[in-house]
Amino acid sequence: PGNERYYSVRLGAAEVFVIDSDEALRNATDMSAQKAWLETALKASTAAWQVVVFHHPPYSSSSTHGSSVAMRWPFASWGADLVLNGHDHTYERLSTGGLTYVVNGLGGAGRYAFGTPLAESQFRYNANWGALKLVSSATSLVATFVSLGGTVQDTFTIGTPPAVPGSFAK
């Protein structure tokens, strides 16, 4: 909304909503303003997919920072399809309330260890650095985490998986 700290951008079939969890966690008034903006923006989105991005993960099994419980906003009921975070230098995919959360802090800084896995945790990786690739279409959002060296460590699809070349529909 013109403040350059939280905003949305349309990228193909997805709309990405970026919020500032640093300021939200420091300032209750700012948190309320961001929540109100995000709820309104998500509900108004006409994109096929709504992806929310911010720094502090609501859910994380990392032994270093772990979960930022104050950031457990009702993203799913507002229309989000995926929540992406960093902060912990691990890769973890979690699911709760029908919504997928991904922590990806393996961009190059020192890697963190995992503590006791959260019940919501579906996949954890911290053996090497890597990147998450998202591909959106009108019917699916496909995410692939690739570690340094090109090895696919995790992949998941939200929506209808794309057809595999050479396969036949029944």
Side-chain angles (χ1 to χ4, degrees), residues 35 51 103 115 125 149 156 162:
K35 280 178 147 178
V51 179
V103 178
Y125 177 82
F156 63 93

Side-chain angles (χ1 to χ4, degrees), residues 82 91 132-135 141-145 154-158:
L82 176 64
Y91 173 85
L132 183 68
K133 177 183 178 182
L134 296 175
V135 177
L141 183 61
V142 179
T144 306
F145 179 77
D154 186 36
T155 188
F156 63 93
T157 301
I158 299 170

Side-chain angles (χ1 to χ4, degrees), residues 7-18 37 45 47 49 51:
Y7 55 90
S8 68
V9 61
R10 183 75 180 256
L11 300 170
E15 188 167 359
V16 178
F17 300 84
V18 179
W37 171 82
S45 177
W49 308 103
V51 179

Side-chain angles (χ1 to χ4, degrees), residues 56-87:
H56 299 85
Y59 301 91
S60 172
S61 299
S62 171
S63 63
T64 301
H65 297 297
S67 302
S68 294
V69 178
M71 295 307 298
R72 291 182 182 172
W73 300 358
F75 301 108
S77 67
W78 294 346
D81 298 296
L82 176 64
V83 176
L84 301 176
N85 308 109
H87 199 47

Side-chain angles (χ1 to χ4, degrees), residues 10-126:
R10 183 75 180 256
L11 300 170
E15 188 167 359
V16 178
F17 300 84
V18 179
I19 60 175
D20 180 0
S21 62
D22 281 328
E23 191 60 30
L25 289 169
R26 276 193 291 263
N27 179 324
T29 301
D30 190 80
M31 182 179 285
S32 293
Q34 287 193 60
K35 280 178 147 178
W37 171 82
L38 183 62
E39 178 181 13
T40 299
L42 282 169
K43 287 180 176 179
S45 177
T46 59
W49 308 103
Q50 289 72 34
V51 179
V52 179
V53 179
F54 55 98
H55 188 70
H56 299 85
Y59 301 91
S60 172
S61 299
S62 171
S63 63
T64 301
H65 297 297
S67 302
S68 294
V69 178
M71 295 307 298
R72 291 182 182 172
W73 300 358
F75 301 108
S77 67
W78 294 346
D81 298 296
L82 176 64
V83 176
L84 301 176
N85 308 109
H87 199 47
D88 281 318
H89 300 180
T90 60
Y91 173 85
E92 185 172 20
R93 178 170 42 89
L94 307 101
S95 180
T96 184
L99 185 60
T100 300
Y101 293 78
V102 173
V103 178
N104 182 19
L106 292 178
R111 299 184 307 269
Y112 294 172
F114 285 107
T116 303
L118 297 178
E120 297 85 0
S121 185
Q122 296 183 321
F123 183 86
R124 290 172 304 285
Y125 177 82
N126 65 350

